[in-house]
Amino acid sequence: MYLSHLSLSHFRSHRLARLDVDARPVAIYGPNGAGKTNLIEAVSLFSPGRGLRRASAQDMARRPEALGWKITGTFHGPDGVHEIAFTSENGAARQVQIDDKSASQVALGRLARVVWLIPAMDRLWIEGADGRRRFIDRMTLSFFPEHAQSVLDYEKAMRERNRLLKEQVRDAHWYVALEAQMAKAGAALHANRVATVERLALSQQEAETRFPVANLQLMQSEGEMPQDEGDLRTALADSRGRDMAAGRTLVGPHRTDLYGVFAAKDVPASECSTGEQKALLISLILANARALSHDLGAPPIVLLDEVAAHLDSGRRAALYDEICALGAQAWMTGTGPELFADLGDRAQYLEVNEEGAESLVARLAN
């Protein structure tokens, strides 16, 4: 999977950007604030969801002159070449078109796969469980495009249930239908996460890499996660009194946390050094990409924002070797070309400066 053309109009700092590329890794370098991350954020929108910054469509518009934005790309995948476009006007949610026809996020997910690692994820193991749930859900979505709908259905029903709990509604009839919806969506959501953890474990063990294996486990903040739809529905019904006292739902997959261990040292990821935590994250991103390549017959697009600056020269070279062996089109950013020297002619290079944010029209150089 790769993009051969990318165009941006009034997206973030870029008034106009048009890039023609091939399937090799793309190394983008330039000073901070030049718009490098904005380019790869645009690429991240070729997968379902809100992109690597999780920003609203309104926040993506170039300020102050633009009320909307547009992204177009020529996408090459296992089933052929497709023209994909995204538009947003007046802050509205982005609209997707595939080959000039309106499409859903699920349809986009079945077509394109994009995985990423950004600096904001570096503190994944030491911050709150919300970030780790988003991390595993992003990976789960790459394997199961329908996972996004399960998450939305579950959260919508849970919000309604929480409203009843806060209003101290005690009539069981108000809860039955909502809990049935939560149980159905929540069981599917949990099963997808479990399958993803298993896929990542297998992919890590099969690889020969300089990046350490991270053993993963899904855990609940308290108690055990009900294992199927019926068990979850029963658990929700049994927990109504406790939930009403708390004013929110206390059982279900929204209480799941992702626990990671540095396998070789048997040390929790949260207790590892900063460098080890970064290496564990890279190992998981590579495992995700490797497993998708096995499933689909082609690797996903990989986005790595400022990743080279946080690695020593040996691990940096090893990362590039892994990406090239995988055959992935990896879009990588850094402040200078020296960070990508180990790639040589295996990559294509683009320099971006602050003036380039106004108009960037380029065919990348070898």
Side-chain angles (χ1 to χ4, degrees), residues 6 106 146 189 307:
L6 178 68
V106 173
E146 68 278 7
L189 190 164
V307 69

Side-chain angles (χ1 to χ4, degrees), residues 340-352:
F340 305 107
D342 291 309
L343 276 165
D345 62 4
R346 296 180 297 175
Q348 50 205 316
Y349 302 86
L350 174 66
E351 181 178 8
V352 180

Side-chain angles (χ1 to χ4, degrees), residues 115-330:
V115 301
W116 58 75
L117 183 61
I118 61 175
M121 296 159 66
D122 288 354
R123 296 178 59 82
L124 180 80
W125 304 113
I126 58 176
E127 293 190 333
D130 285 352
R132 288 186 289 276
R133 279 193 295 273
R134 287 194 297 270
F135 180 77
I136 194 62
D137 280 339
R138 165 53 55 184
M139 289 189 166
T140 301
L141 184 60
S142 73
F143 294 116
F144 306 101
E146 68 278 7
H147 184 70
Q149 192 61 52
S150 295
V151 172
L152 289 173
D153 291 346
Y154 180 83
E155 291 182 346
K156 180 180 179 181
M158 184 174 66
R159 283 194 299 270
E160 286 300 307
R161 185 177 187 270
N162 286 347
R163 182 181 61 80
L164 295 177
L165 293 169
K166 290 176 181 178
E167 294 176 357
Q168 299 289 298
V169 175
R170 299 182 181 275
D171 188 341
H173 290 90
W174 288 93
Y175 291 92
V176 172
L178 289 174
E179 290 170 355
Q181 294 172 27
M182 290 177 66
K184 181 179 180 180
L189 190 164
H190 180 68
N192 289 342
R193 286 174 176 169
V194 170
T196 295
V197 168
E198 292 172 350
R199 293 298 312 280
L200 293 173
L202 181 61
S203 183
Q204 286 187 99
Q205 295 292 346
E206 289 179 343
E208 293 184 8
T209 175
R210 287 192 60 181
F211 295 95
V213 169
N215 289 338
L216 301 179
Q217 183 179 357
L218 296 172
M219 303 179 67
Q220 293 300 107
S221 55
E222 60 178 86
E224 298 290 332
M225 174 65 197
Q227 292 303 302
D228 58 33
E229 181 178 343
D231 288 344
L232 181 52
R233 186 167 58 247
T234 298
L236 287 165
D238 291 345
S239 187
R240 284 175 200 157
R242 189 169 66 111
D243 293 353
M244 190 172 294
R248 67 187 190 281
T249 302
L250 298 175
V251 61
H254 65 288
R255 304 279 286 177
T256 297
D257 197 356
L258 179 68
Y259 181 70
V261 173
F262 190 139
K265 296 184 175 183
D266 195 26
V267 174
S270 59
E271 298 177 12
C272 290
S273 70
T274 301
E276 288 172 335
Q277 291 179 0
K278 185 75 172 188
L280 290 171
L281 286 173
I282 292 173
S283 179
L284 291 173
I285 295 298
L286 291 172
N288 189 185
R290 204 177 295 116
L292 284 171
S293 182
H294 178 77
D295 286 354
L296 305 172
I301 295 173
V302 179
L303 309 178
L304 301 171
D305 191 22
E306 300 290 350
V307 69
H310 301 283
L311 301 176
D312 60 39
S313 58
R315 277 219 170 115
R316 195 157 57 223
L319 173 61
Y320 299 153
D321 289 344
E322 290 269 0
I323 289 169
C324 293
L326 185 63
Q329 186 188 58

Side-chain angles (χ1 to χ4, degrees), residues 92-133:
R94 79 178 189 267
Q95 302 298 307
V96 182
Q97 284 195 325
I98 300 175
D99 297 326
D100 295 323
K101 296 180 180 179
S102 295
S104 67
Q105 293 277 323
V106 173
L108 180 65
R110 294 194 179 104
L111 183 68
R113 302 292 200 281
V114 184
V115 301
W116 58 75
L117 183 61
I118 61 175
M121 296 159 66
D122 288 354
R123 296 178 59 82
L124 180 80
W125 304 113
I126 58 176
E127 293 190 333
D130 285 352
R132 288 186 289 276
R133 279 193 295 273

